[in-house]
Amino acid sequence: MANAGRPGGGGGWRMPSFGSRSTWSTLAYWAAVAAVWIAIFFVGLVFVFSRDLPDTSKLYDVHKQPSITYLDRSGALLGVRGSQYAPPVDIDKLPAYVPAAFVSIEDRRFYQHWGFDTWGIMRALSADLRRGHAAEGASTITQQLARNLFLTPDQNIKRKVQEVMLAVWLEHKYNKKQILALYLNRVYFGGGAYGIESAAQRFFNKPASQLTIGESAMLAGLLKSPTHYSPIGDAERSATRATIVLDKMVETHAITPEQRADAFAHPVKVSKTLASAYIQYFVDWVDNQTRQLVGQPTQDLVVETTLDLPLDGLAANAVRATVAKDYNQGVQQAALVSVDGAGRVRALIGGADYGESQFNRAVEAKRQAGSSWKPFVYLTAMEAGRTPQVQVVDEPITIGTWSPHNYTNKYLGLMTLQQALAQSINTVAARLADEVGRQNVANVAHRLGIVSAINTDPAMALGTTQVSPLEMAQAYTPFGNGGNLATAYGIEEIRTQDGKVLYQHKVDAKVNVIGNPPLTYMDQMMRAVVAGGTGTKAQIAGYDIAGKTGTTSDYKDAWFCGFTGGFTTVVWTGKDDNTPMHKVTGGGAPAELWHAYMVQALPHLQVQRIPEGPAAPAGVVYGDPIGDLLSHAGSDAPPPAPETPDDDSDKPQPQAQPQ
């Protein structure tokens, strides 16, 4: 036992010797077997995953997605929606920092790998394991190109293996410059732009060869998520992402720290002409409708719309000017909709600046109508037998537990219904709605064109129902077109480029929704609002104008809804966060905006007196009395001035303000 465990001892353990010929032969044998099986495995893997690989013979073919071209009512181009392609750019003609920006942020080892990045895959797997979910991607530029050219975006093992196989094939067949050129010319940048040239034109209105370092960084940053990092949708988020790209460019020595600092000193400006034109609010609206009417297009389409491009330009200018002038008063946003007597939307502005916000307040924003709702209350009363000269008393009133107050907190005593509407007296409107029935008021509003749900609590009389400017324009149109229903619409015709008509707006038979004498009474009373009531700032000399102001409690929303013969325009002002403005009422900024726009628009339109309804004199046109825009082009003379209406609208009225 003394020799146990020692070299040469009889009972000790001995380490095997690898120096013998038989041992190395055994290892070599099993290594060869393992290699054969591994080879068989990979051959089988390649066979399984390559059976349905896509055809790569048409690598340079571009499969252009269908586009939709939108025209205004005179045939002027409004915009094109769908994929935008430009001729492939020569990578040698780009500044060196342009492709370098994409390599720095998307695949910094692009020039070292053979199609897939082993270290990148290991890094991504490690990050995923730490976080417990898929957190990072490891696709190289070549893999992204393979996926974009040949594969679907499905996330599964088969698609990923095929992506790697195609990436290796691309690396074998093409050099790095060719692969990078293919990538830059095919990748999607958002906004319908495919390829670096289209993106440069789309976002900066310049060729890709003239891109700055900052612009290149912004475009490279888009690829992670073209929607999330769009400079149109969120300029701040896009700039933050571009900063990350600039940092990576410094790290990879694509640019110097001094060049990075210079890029910060010259902020990127997105093209206003292509990215933020005011007409895009209207195009957004009709584009959604087009796809609902005909589905996703399988060929290029042409859509004729109702919009008057010059008229829309006047509206946009007026909106921007008003917001700029009254911004310190809290007027941070505005919307405007013009509808003719047949329901054609002739102008639509959804905000002060499309480049800053694409939210369409004219269509999508639902805000309380305030006192602009009162015409529905008064019309219900006129239909119940009242007249404008019926006397009422402005005095304190309680309905249930609710006690409405006037804007001035004063009560003016005895007055007529016409005076009460002209001065927007809240107590009278509340009592009137209670007397005629709030459900009846809701029915009248729905009949005229309000489609939103209407509450019927006592405060409904003062406009607590939330509606869009488009709805209000639609519902006010019967007051100015002879009492006929006019459903607002924006599309006249959809056709293919070869002329096949897929959709055409159907002209419905006239449906009278306001009879006489209620229509005559309402027009008379709303003329008084403009002539001597809360809407005097909307007056336009020589034109038959009527309308109603509206202001919600705490000044969160302010409206002016006005019309002349066959032409209605509704204006809203407020803030997107629904906080109060600084005592802005409907008779202030909205009425001024309405006037600034209409005083320029009306001389170019064939407007008439406000028609009197079903019993109107012969010759009055109800459908579309406006005619074509610029019908008086070349003449500074406005249409003949209408006669002054025979009512007491110019008499002194009690002074109060709308709520």
Side-chain angles (χ1 to χ4, degrees), residues 24 88-89 146 201 252 301 310 381 444 465 502 552 596 654:
W24 284 113
V89 66
Q201 296 286 356
T252 57
L301 302 179
V444 166
T465 295
L502 303 180
T552 59

Side-chain angles (χ1 to χ4, degrees), residues 285 337-345 362 376 444-452 467-481 483-490 513-514 559 561-562 568-570:
W285 178 53
V337 180
S338 287
V339 178
D340 68 22
R344 302 177 185 91
V345 175
F376 306 130
V444 166
H446 281 314
R447 190 177 77 216
L448 266 62
I450 296 298
V451 297
S452 294
V467 290
S468 71
L470 181 64
E471 277 182 272
M472 291 296 279
Q474 178 173 271
Y476 263 71
T477 295
F479 290 120
N481 74 355
N484 299 311
L485 180 67
T487 303
Y489 71 98
V513 291
I514 311 177
W559 301 72
C561 307
T568 300
T569 295
V570 167

Side-chain angles (χ1 to χ4, degrees), residues 84-164:
Q84 299 176 12
Y85 289 87
V89 66
D90 184 348
I91 196 170
D92 289 327
K93 294 182 179 179
L94 296 175
Y97 52 73
V98 175
F102 293 84
V103 172
S104 297
I105 192 66
E106 290 294 318
D107 185 5
R108 63 192 303 167
R109 279 180 287 275
F110 172 70
Y111 292 102
Q112 285 76 50
H113 64 65
W114 290 354
F116 60 94
D117 184 1
T118 304
W119 291 109
I121 294 172
M122 293 173 63
R123 184 196 68 246
L125 287 174
S126 176
D128 294 348
L129 290 172
R130 287 197 307 271
R131 302 181 189 183
H133 60 86
E136 293 190 16
S139 292
T140 63
I141 282 177
T142 316
Q143 286 176 259
Q144 292 179 48
L145 178 62
R147 180 170 64 247
N148 292 337
L149 290 178
F150 305 120
L151 299 172
T152 67
D154 297 337
Q155 295 291 335
N156 55 58
I157 294 176
K158 180 179 180 181
R159 204 273 301 157
K160 196 67 179 178
V161 172
Q162 289 182 331
E163 178 185 296
V164 172

Side-chain angles (χ1 to χ4, degrees), residues 274-304:
L274 293 179
S276 58
Y278 55 87
I279 56 175
Q280 298 306 316
Y281 285 117
F282 178 82
V283 175
D284 285 347
W285 178 53
V286 294
D287 187 59
N288 288 332
Q289 295 177 49
T290 298
R291 298 172 196 277
Q292 291 173 4
L293 289 170
V294 300
Q296 289 300 322
T298 58
Q299 56 184 313
D300 292 345
L301 302 179
V302 177
V303 179
E304 292 184 5

Side-chain angles (χ1 to χ4, degrees), residues 546-559:
K548 183 68 185 77
T549 57
T551 313
T552 59
S553 59
D554 298 326
Y555 306 101
K556 292 179 179 179
D557 303 278
W559 301 72

Side-chain angles (χ1 to χ4, degrees), residues 406-535:
N406 293 325
Y407 174 79
T408 60
N409 286 320
K410 296 179 180 179
Y411 303 97
L412 303 176
L414 191 66
M415 62 177 61
T416 66
L417 284 178
Q418 178 165 308
Q419 291 171 328
L421 181 63
Q423 300 304 322
S424 205
I425 303 300
N426 287 336
T427 59
V428 173
R431 186 191 302 274
L432 202 59
D434 192 55
E435 291 174 354
V436 301
R438 289 183 292 277
Q439 185 58 56
N440 291 330
V441 174
N443 294 341
V444 166
H446 281 314
R447 190 177 77 216
L448 266 62
I450 296 298
V451 297
S452 294
I454 299 173
N455 67 74
T456 55
D457 58 37
M460 177 264 266
L462 306 187
T464 56
T465 295
Q466 295 185 333
V467 290
S468 71
L470 181 64
E471 277 182 272
M472 291 296 279
Q474 178 173 271
Y476 263 71
T477 295
F479 290 120
N481 74 355
N484 299 311
L485 180 67
T487 303
Y489 71 98
I491 297 175
E492 293 284 10
E493 182 181 277
I494 304 173
R495 63 177 183 270
T496 63
Q497 284 199 327
D498 58 8
K500 181 181 178 181
V501 176
L502 303 180
Y503 167 84
Q504 194 163 38
H505 178 76
K506 181 181 179 181
V507 179
D508 296 324
K510 290 185 177 67
V511 177
N512 186 258
V513 291
I514 311 177
N516 265 322
L519 176 62
T520 299
Y521 292 156
M522 290 304 303
D523 288 343
Q524 173 184 319
M525 288 192 289
M526 284 192 277
R527 285 186 181 108
V529 172
V530 176
T534 59

